[in-house]
Amino acid sequence: DIQMTQSPSSLSASVGDRVTITCRASQGISNYLAWYQQKPGKVPKLLIYAASTLQSGVPSRFSGSGSGTDFTLTISSLQPEDVATYYCQKYNSAPMTFGQGTKVEIK
Amino acid sequence: QVQLVQSGAEVKKPGASVKVSCKASGYTFTSYYMHWVRQAPGQGLEWMGIINPSGGSTSYAQKFQGRVTMTRDTSTSTVYMELSSLRSEDTAVYYCARGFDSPWWPHDPWGQGTLVTVSS
Protein backbone atom coordinates (compact mmCIF):
# COMPACT_ATOMS: atom_id res chain seq x y z
CA ASP A 1 0.00 0.00 0.00
CA ILE A 2 1.06 3.58 -0.64
CA GLN A 3 2.00 5.48 2.51
CA MET A 4 1.31 9.19 2.97
CA THR A 5 3.72 11.14 5.18
CA GLN A 6 3.01 14.69 6.31
CA SER A 7 5.42 17.19 7.81
CA PRO A 8 5.59 18.80 10.18
CA SER A 9 3.28 17.00 12.61
CA SER A 10 2.54 20.34 14.26
CA LEU A 11 3.42 23.98 13.86
CA SER A 12 2.82 27.27 15.59
CA ALA A 13 2.74 30.49 13.59
CA SER A 14 1.62 34.08 13.99
CA VAL A 15 -1.47 35.60 12.45
CA GLY A 16 -0.58 36.77 8.95
CA ASP A 17 2.27 34.30 8.52
CA ARG A 18 2.64 32.10 5.46
CA VAL A 19 2.28 28.45 6.43
CA THR A 20 3.34 25.45 4.37
CA ILE A 21 2.54 21.81 5.02
CA THR A 22 4.06 19.03 2.96
CA CYS A 23 2.73 15.59 2.07
CA ARG A 24 4.82 12.87 0.47
CA ALA A 25 3.50 9.70 -1.14
CA SER A 26 5.64 6.55 -1.09
CA GLN A 27 4.77 6.01 -4.78
CA GLY A 28 3.55 8.32 -7.51
CA ILE A 29 -0.14 9.20 -7.36
CA SER A 30 -0.30 11.75 -10.21
CA ASN A 31 -2.52 14.54 -8.86
CA TYR A 32 -4.99 12.34 -6.95
CA LEU A 33 -4.38 14.24 -3.75
CA ALA A 34 -6.87 15.98 -1.46
CA TRP A 35 -6.46 18.18 1.60
CA TYR A 36 -8.93 18.30 4.48
CA GLN A 37 -9.29 20.65 7.42
CA GLN A 38 -10.61 19.40 10.74
CA LYS A 39 -11.28 22.02 13.38
CA PRO A 40 -11.35 20.89 17.02
CA GLY A 41 -14.45 18.83 17.70
CA LYS A 42 -15.72 19.20 14.15
CA VAL A 43 -16.19 17.07 11.06
CA PRO A 44 -13.43 17.07 8.40
CA LYS A 45 -13.98 19.48 5.53
CA LEU A 46 -12.61 19.14 2.00
CA LEU A 47 -10.36 22.07 1.12
CA ILE A 48 -8.52 21.06 -2.05
CA TYR A 49 -8.75 18.21 -4.54
CA ALA A 50 -6.77 17.21 -7.60
CA ALA A 51 -3.76 18.58 -5.71
CA SER A 52 -4.52 22.21 -6.51
CA THR A 53 -8.25 22.75 -7.12
CA LEU A 54 -9.94 24.77 -4.39
CA GLN A 55 -13.28 23.38 -3.22
CA SER A 56 -16.15 25.81 -3.61
CA GLY A 57 -16.39 28.25 -0.71
CA VAL A 58 -12.83 27.75 0.54
CA PRO A 59 -10.96 31.03 1.10
CA SER A 60 -8.39 31.90 -1.54
CA ARG A 61 -5.59 32.10 1.05
CA PHE A 62 -5.50 28.30 0.81
CA SER A 63 -3.64 26.79 -2.12
CA GLY A 64 -2.22 23.43 -3.09
CA SER A 65 0.50 22.28 -5.44
CA GLY A 66 2.46 19.23 -6.45
CA SER A 67 2.22 16.08 -8.52
CA GLY A 68 3.63 12.59 -8.39
CA THR A 69 4.96 12.10 -4.87
CA ASP A 70 5.42 15.58 -3.37
CA PHE A 71 2.63 17.96 -2.47
CA THR A 72 2.18 21.13 -0.45
CA LEU A 73 -0.68 22.96 1.21
CA THR A 74 -0.06 26.66 1.71
CA ILE A 75 -1.97 29.17 3.80
CA SER A 76 -0.82 32.53 2.49
CA SER A 77 -1.84 34.54 5.54
CA LEU A 78 -2.74 32.54 8.62
CA GLN A 79 -5.99 33.56 10.32
CA PRO A 80 -7.26 32.62 13.80
CA GLU A 81 -10.05 30.55 12.25
CA ASP A 82 -7.45 28.38 10.50
CA VAL A 83 -6.53 26.66 13.77
CA ALA A 84 -7.13 23.03 12.87
CA THR A 85 -5.53 19.75 11.93
CA TYR A 86 -4.89 19.31 8.22
CA TYR A 87 -4.82 15.94 6.49
CA CYS A 88 -3.74 14.93 3.02
CA GLN A 89 -5.33 11.92 1.32
CA LYS A 90 -4.51 9.96 -1.80
CA TYR A 91 -7.54 8.76 -3.74
CA ASN A 92 -6.23 7.20 -6.94
CA SER A 93 -6.87 3.68 -5.68
CA ALA A 94 -7.87 1.73 -2.58
CA PRO A 95 -6.91 2.09 0.17
CA MET A 96 -7.44 5.86 0.12
CA THR A 97 -4.85 6.51 2.79
CA PHE A 98 -4.65 9.69 4.83
CA GLY A 99 -1.52 11.35 6.11
CA GLN A 100 -1.09 11.43 9.87
CA GLY A 101 -2.15 15.06 10.11
CA THR A 102 -0.54 18.43 10.83
CA LYS A 103 -1.83 20.45 13.75
CA VAL A 104 -1.72 24.21 13.14
CA GLU A 105 -1.82 26.59 16.10
CA ILE A 106 -1.51 30.35 16.57
CA LYS A 107 1.63 31.60 18.29
CA GLN B 1 -28.77 20.70 0.32
CA VAL B 2 -26.78 17.49 0.59
CA GLN B 3 -27.06 15.95 4.04
CA LEU B 4 -25.74 12.78 5.61
CA VAL B 5 -27.34 11.93 8.94
CA GLN B 6 -25.83 9.12 10.96
CA SER B 7 -27.26 6.98 13.74
CA GLY B 8 -26.54 7.64 17.38
CA ALA B 9 -23.70 6.64 19.66
CA GLU B 10 -23.24 3.00 20.57
CA VAL B 11 -21.60 1.17 23.46
CA LYS B 12 -20.62 -2.42 22.74
CA LYS B 13 -18.80 -5.19 24.54
CA PRO B 14 -15.67 -6.80 23.08
CA GLY B 15 -16.58 -9.48 20.57
CA ALA B 16 -19.90 -7.90 19.67
CA SER B 17 -20.90 -6.27 16.39
CA VAL B 18 -22.10 -2.75 15.63
CA LYS B 19 -24.12 -1.45 12.69
CA VAL B 20 -23.98 2.26 11.91
CA SER B 21 -26.40 3.87 9.48
CA CYS B 22 -26.03 6.93 7.26
CA LYS B 23 -29.14 8.42 5.67
CA ALA B 24 -28.55 10.57 2.62
CA SER B 25 -30.75 13.37 1.31
CA GLY B 26 -30.59 16.25 -1.12
CA TYR B 27 -29.20 14.33 -4.09
CA THR B 28 -29.70 11.19 -6.17
CA PHE B 29 -28.57 8.48 -3.76
CA THR B 30 -27.53 5.93 -6.38
CA SER B 31 -25.36 8.38 -8.32
CA TYR B 32 -22.61 8.86 -5.74
CA TYR B 33 -20.25 6.44 -4.03
CA MET B 34 -20.12 6.46 -0.23
CA HIS B 35 -17.04 6.04 1.93
CA TRP B 36 -16.55 5.12 5.58
CA VAL B 37 -13.74 6.67 7.61
CA ARG B 38 -13.00 6.29 11.29
CA GLN B 39 -11.07 8.34 13.84
CA ALA B 40 -9.91 6.91 17.16
CA PRO B 41 -9.81 9.36 20.10
CA GLY B 42 -7.03 11.90 19.56
CA GLN B 43 -5.86 10.12 16.42
CA GLY B 44 -5.95 10.67 12.67
CA LEU B 45 -8.34 9.62 9.94
CA GLU B 46 -8.47 6.02 8.72
CA TRP B 47 -10.23 5.03 5.49
CA MET B 48 -12.25 1.85 5.89
CA GLY B 49 -13.89 1.26 2.55
CA ILE B 50 -16.33 2.31 -0.14
CA ILE B 51 -19.71 1.20 -1.42
CA ASN B 52 -21.44 1.90 -4.71
CA PRO B 53 -25.06 2.56 -3.74
CA SER B 54 -26.19 1.78 -7.27
CA GLY B 55 -25.16 -1.86 -7.47
CA GLY B 56 -23.97 -2.46 -3.92
CA SER B 57 -20.38 -3.35 -4.86
CA THR B 58 -17.81 -2.70 -2.16
CA SER B 59 -14.08 -2.37 -1.60
CA TYR B 60 -12.61 -2.62 1.88
CA ALA B 61 -9.25 -1.69 3.33
CA GLN B 62 -7.21 -4.83 3.92
CA LYS B 63 -7.10 -4.10 7.65
CA PHE B 64 -10.88 -4.57 7.92
CA GLN B 65 -11.38 -7.40 5.44
CA GLY B 66 -13.46 -10.14 7.03
CA ARG B 67 -14.78 -7.89 9.80
CA VAL B 68 -16.56 -5.10 7.94
CA THR B 69 -19.65 -5.21 5.77
CA MET B 70 -21.05 -2.20 3.93
CA THR B 71 -24.57 -2.38 2.56
CA ARG B 72 -27.22 -0.04 1.28
CA ASP B 73 -30.99 0.30 1.12
CA THR B 74 -31.99 2.29 -1.93
CA SER B 75 -35.61 2.54 -0.78
CA THR B 76 -34.54 4.68 2.19
CA SER B 77 -31.33 6.18 0.73
CA THR B 78 -29.36 4.70 3.59
CA VAL B 79 -25.96 3.05 3.74
CA TYR B 80 -24.82 0.84 6.59
CA MET B 81 -21.46 -0.14 7.99
CA GLU B 82 -21.29 -3.22 10.21
CA LEU B 83 -18.12 -4.06 12.09
CA SER B 84 -17.87 -7.39 13.88
CA SER B 85 -15.59 -8.96 16.49
CA LEU B 86 -15.17 -5.59 18.14
CA ARG B 87 -12.14 -4.90 20.30
CA SER B 88 -11.15 -1.91 22.39
CA GLU B 89 -9.03 -0.54 19.53
CA ASP B 90 -12.24 -0.12 17.49
CA THR B 91 -13.38 2.65 19.82
CA ALA B 92 -13.67 5.59 17.44
CA VAL B 93 -15.91 8.05 15.70
CA TYR B 94 -17.16 6.50 12.46
CA TYR B 95 -18.00 8.82 9.56
CA CYS B 96 -19.77 8.27 6.30
CA ALA B 97 -18.64 10.63 3.56
CA ARG B 98 -19.96 11.06 0.04
CA GLY B 99 -17.71 10.57 -2.95
CA PHE B 100 -18.61 11.22 -6.56
CA ASP B 101 -19.78 9.20 -9.54
CA SER B 102 -16.34 7.65 -9.69
CA PRO B 103 -14.85 5.68 -6.79
CA TRP B 104 -11.59 7.63 -7.16
CA TRP B 105 -12.74 10.93 -5.75
CA PRO B 106 -12.35 12.71 -2.40
CA HIS B 107 -15.04 12.95 0.25
CA ASP B 108 -17.56 15.77 0.59
CA PRO B 109 -19.68 16.21 2.59
CA TRP B 110 -19.27 14.09 5.71
CA GLY B 111 -21.85 12.83 8.15
CA GLN B 112 -21.80 14.13 11.70
CA GLY B 113 -20.03 11.02 12.97
CA THR B 114 -21.09 8.16 15.25
CA LEU B 115 -19.10 7.39 18.37
CA VAL B 116 -18.69 3.67 18.95
CA THR B 117 -17.27 2.75 22.33
CA VAL B 118 -16.04 -0.79 22.92
CA SER B 119 -15.73 -1.57 26.60
CA SER B 120 -16.33 -4.49 28.91
Side-chain angles (χ1 to χ4, degrees):
Chain A
D1 292 349
I2 296 174
Q3 305 304 313
M4 305 300 293
T5 304
Q6 287 182 233
S7 61
S9 55
S10 65
L11 65 90
S12 181
S14 299
V15 172
D17 280 355
R18 183 181 185 88
V19 168
T20 298
I21 299 167
T22 65
C23 177
R24 175 164 289 175
S26 60
Q27 297 176 38
I29 57 170
S30 184
N31 68 336
Y32 289 84
L33 192 283
W35 290 97
Y36 298 86
Q37 175 193 63
Q38 186 177 32
K39 295 184 178 181
K42 300 297 185 183
V43 174
K45 171 188 170 183
L46 177 64
L47 291 180
I48 287 169
Y49 61 95
S52 61
T53 302
L54 216 59
Q55 178 71 338
S56 175
V58 174
S60 58
R61 62 181 179 273
F62 291 93
S63 64
S65 64
S67 183
T69 59
D70 295 306
F71 303 88
T72 60
L73 171 69
T74 300
I75 308 173
S76 61
S77 177
L78 187 67
Q79 299 301 305
E81 60 267 32
D82 301 333
V83 168
T85 300
Y86 295 83
Y87 296 92
C88 63
Q89 181 199 29
K90 57 87 98 176
Y91 58 89
N92 62 314
S93 63
M96 298 187 190
T97 311
F98 291 89
Q100 79 278 18
T102 296
K103 188 173 184 179
V104 174
E105 298 175 320
I106 300 290
K107 194 181 295 182
Chain B
Q1 76 282 19
V2 176
Q3 265 197 310
L4 302 176
V5 179
Q6 298 184 220
S7 49
E10 303 261 13
V11 179
K12 295 292 182 180
K13 293 196 182 303
S17 297
V18 68
K19 192 170 186 177
V20 179
S21 68
C22 170
K23 184 173 176 59
S25 62
Y27 69 97
T28 302
F29 175 70
T30 51
S31 294
Y32 294 81
Y33 285 75
M34 195 75 78
H35 302 260
W36 288 91
V37 176
R38 77 177 187 179
Q39 185 170 36
Q43 303 301 307
L45 302 170
E46 183 173 32
W47 185 84
M48 299 180 69
I50 183 175
I51 182 169
N52 180 354
S54 178
S57 60
T58 56
S59 177
Y60 305 136
Q62 182 76 15
K63 175 176 180 176
F64 301 102
Q65 287 277 0
R67 284 211 301 145
V68 70
T69 304
M70 296 177 189
T71 56
R72 94 292 189 215
D73 181 343
T74 57
S75 68
T76 59
S77 299
T78 303
V79 295
Y80 301 90
M81 187 285 299
E82 184 170 21
L83 189 63
S84 62
S85 303
L86 289 169
R87 35 213 190 224
S88 59
E89 311 89 88
D90 295 317
T91 294
V93 175
Y94 289 77
Y95 295 101
C96 60
R98 196 187 73 163
F100 200 54
D101 61 359
S102 157
W104 319 125
W105 202 257
H107 316 331
D108 181 68
W110 295 52
Q112 83 276 19
T114 297
L115 175 61
V116 175
T117 303
V118 183
S119 174
S120 55

